[in-house]
Amino acid sequence: MKTIFAVCVGIAILGIANARIIEDEGAVDSNYEEKAIHGQQGGFTTDETVAQAICHSAVLEEGYTSFWTYAVGRDCRWPTHTDTCTSICTSANLHAQDPQTVNGKWECVTAIHVYPGRKPTFINGDTKTATLGLKTAHSDCEQPSCGPNFCCCAVINF
């Protein structure tokens, strides 16, 4: 299963690297994240892509073979950050957002923090050796404080 995790994270990283490069002279768009947040890129942010890859891998690690996975953003502004990922993942409000999964068995698999603002370690074919890349941290589903910024929710037994 660790191989599956590594492959999923690798695919996410490759997707991020490709998404961040602009065709105009291969320059890196320093405002990519901000544009994505405001819908100007028409896609998910780097953080969301990484979170989804980690969440999917975490569900595979649990041994499930038939499931849907969601990386659900967690609001860290007071007072809303008191919701645990368990309460977020089991919320009927969340379930109603996808008609295919509304009646499935929802659960929180893990909680993660994807740290924003990391610089790419591979640009235009040039590898920056010994440069820190993406940073993530795992937490548990019952964390009430503002540590995890994504909940890994899974719908199993659908």
Side-chain angles (χ1 to χ4, degrees):
M1 290 295 175
K2 292 183 193 280
T3 302
I4 294 170
F5 175 77
V7 169
C8 287
V9 172
I11 289 169
I13 291 169
L14 287 173
I16 292 163
N18 289 336
R20 293 184 66 106
I21 303 298
I22 297 177
E23 291 181 22
D24 179 28
E25 298 179 6
V28 174
D29 184 354
S30 60
N31 295 321
Y32 179 82
E33 295 291 326
E34 189 66 24
K35 288 178 183 176
I37 289 168
H38 296 291
Q40 297 169 358
Q41 290 290 359
F44 294 102
T45 66
T46 301
D47 294 352
E48 290 169 322
T49 303
V50 170
Q52 182 63 29
I54 292 171
C55 289
H56 191 83
S57 296
V59 176
L60 288 172
E61 287 286 324
E62 291 292 317
Y64 295 117
T65 57
S66 184
F67 57 88
W68 282 300
T69 310
Y70 298 89
V72 179
R74 188 166 176 263
D75 190 352
C76 284
R77 293 175 294 185
W78 181 258
T80 57
H81 75 276
T82 56
D83 287 339
T84 66
C85 282
T86 297
S87 66
I88 291 169
C89 290
T90 57
S91 161
N93 215 16
L94 185 69
H95 305 178
Q97 295 176 31
D98 185 342
Q100 283 187 302
T101 62
V102 70
N103 295 318
K105 180 185 175 207
W106 285 72
E107 66 180 58
C108 177
V109 176
T110 192
I112 59 174
H113 189 95
V114 179
Y115 291 85
R118 304 299 301 181
K119 303 282 186 221
T121 59
F122 187 81
I123 300 174
N124 298 331
D126 182 28
T127 303
K128 296 181 178 180
T129 306
T131 301
L132 291 175
L134 300 170
K135 181 179 179 183
T136 61
H138 283 269
S139 187
D140 66 59
C141 294
E142 296 304 317
Q143 177 66 266
S145 65
C146 195
N149 55 1
F150 286 95
C151 302
C152 294
C153 303
V155 183
I156 56 172
N157 301 333
F158 53 88

